[in-house]
Amino acid sequence: MGYLPVSEMERRGVSRTEISRFVREAKLEKAAKGLYVSPNAESDPLFELQYRYPKAIFRMKLRCSCLERGEPP
């Protein structure tokens, strides 16, 4: 399933009450304000940063250093 923004879930008819219930039942985890992730999805810290700061620009050097350490780009 991966990452799900609240705006997308609401667009598809999922209420905030249902989202809270999914979190309580461990069917979703909060990754950032307005962003949730399925518990079995692989974490992507750079995606979460880009979501939080949409105007941020990440340099290729950062992506490469993450790859060298075995982290997702």
Side-chain angles (χ1 to χ4, degrees):
M1 184 158 74
Y3 286 93
L4 295 165
V6 169
S7 58
E8 179 65 23
M9 289 189 276
E10 287 179 331
R11 190 176 70 78
R12 294 177 180 250
V14 179
S15 70
R16 290 183 185 254
T17 304
E18 291 174 300
I19 295 169
S20 295
R21 184 172 48 86
F22 293 149
V23 172
R24 279 194 310 277
E25 295 173 356
K27 294 179 180 176
L28 283 177
E29 296 173 358
K30 189 168 188 171
K33 183 177 179 179
L35 183 66
Y36 291 84
V37 63
S38 61
N40 59 349
E42 194 171 317
S43 177
D44 187 346
L46 290 180
F47 177 82
E48 293 173 22
L49 276 173
Q50 187 69 52
Y51 183 84
R52 288 180 191 166
Y53 308 103
K55 293 183 179 181
I57 299 171
F58 298 100
R59 295 178 54 189
M60 183 58 126
K61 186 175 181 178
L62 172 66
R63 294 182 63 84
C64 291
S65 66
C66 288
L67 286 172
E68 289 171 3
R69 291 190 306 252
E71 298 174 8

